[in-house]
């Protein structure tokens, strides 16, 4: 992507908004505070790009997803098996949360306040579920995974991750690396064509 002053300004606004969502919640992340945090001269610099707060919220969600994908996609693509890709998906997701805790708290605020009927609702839940389901279908077709409903399993994986994000964002003291390993072991046993015989520490890399 070509870096332009407009791109820089939009990123500046989004990063400030994410920080405020994490610190003050949805109601406290006002345009006035964005101006102060991002050191802008006026709220007009925000409304030039985003007419409403709802547009800004949707853009912030896409921003968080994009940043997470920068960490997760290379890890997933480095794996050659469906089980390995799922483990990489979980580990890299939790690694991103640990490295960017403000993003986790902001994401929770966004999901709670983004209407389900907006154009960006699919970014929040449908796309990740679809991609996981496709991964499971490919693994079943290759014989690597047992027979199960791919969508049900994909929804279950996403629900497990979302529950962890909620707990982490609420301040619960989670060992994210250990949490990821528990989920890797759990779901590896759930999807494997043969009963998993490896110890938790030996779950597919």
């Amino acid at each position: 992507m070509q870096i332009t002053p407009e791109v820089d300004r939009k990123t500046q606004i989004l990063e400030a908004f994410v920080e405020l969502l994490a610190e003050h919640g949805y109601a406290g992340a006002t345009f006035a505070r964005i101006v102060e945090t991002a050191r802008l001269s006026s709220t007009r610099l925000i409304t030039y790009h985003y007419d409403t707060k709802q547009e800004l919220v949707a853009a912030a969600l896409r921003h968080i997803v994009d940043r997470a994908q920068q960490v997760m996609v290379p890890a997933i693509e480095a794996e050659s098996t469906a089980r390995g890709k799922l483990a990489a998906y979980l580990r890299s997701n939790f690694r991103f949360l640990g490295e960017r805790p403000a993003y986790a708290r902001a994401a929770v605020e966004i999901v709670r306040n983004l209407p389900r009927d907006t154009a960006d609702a699919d970014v929040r839940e449908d796309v990740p579920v679809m991609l996981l389901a496709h991964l499971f279908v490919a693994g079943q077709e290759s014989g690597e995974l047992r027979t199960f409903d791919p969508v049900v399993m994909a929804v279950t994986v996403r629900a497990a991750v979302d529950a962890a994000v909620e707990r982490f964002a609420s301040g619960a003291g989670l060992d994210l690396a250990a949490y990821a390993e528990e989920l890797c072991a759990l779901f590896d046993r759930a999807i494997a064509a043969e009963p998993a015989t490896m110890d938790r520490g030996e779950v597919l890399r």
Side-chain angles (χ1 to χ4, degrees), residues 79 81-85 87 91 144-145 181-205:
E79 299 295 332
T81 66
R83 292 165 68 186
K85 287 181 182 295
R91 289 184 176 122
E144 180 190 353
L145 306 184
E181 293 307 312
E182 288 289 350
L183 291 186
C184 285
L186 172 67
F187 285 111
D188 189 64
R189 286 167 169 78
I191 66 177
E194 297 295 335
T197 58
M198 294 179 293
D199 291 334
R200 182 179 65 189
E202 298 173 328
V203 171
L204 295 177
R205 295 180 58 83

Side-chain angles (χ1 to χ4, degrees), residues 105-116:
R105 293 191 294 273
V108 169
E109 286 296 313
I110 290 171
V111 169
R112 287 173 178 169
N113 291 279
L114 184 65
R116 301 186 68 85

Side-chain angles (χ1 to χ4, degrees), residues 166-187:
E166 285 272 3
R167 290 193 63 199
F168 181 65
S170 70
L174 296 184
D175 182 334
L176 290 176
Y179 205 111
E181 293 307 312
E182 288 289 350
L183 291 186
C184 285
L186 172 67
F187 285 111

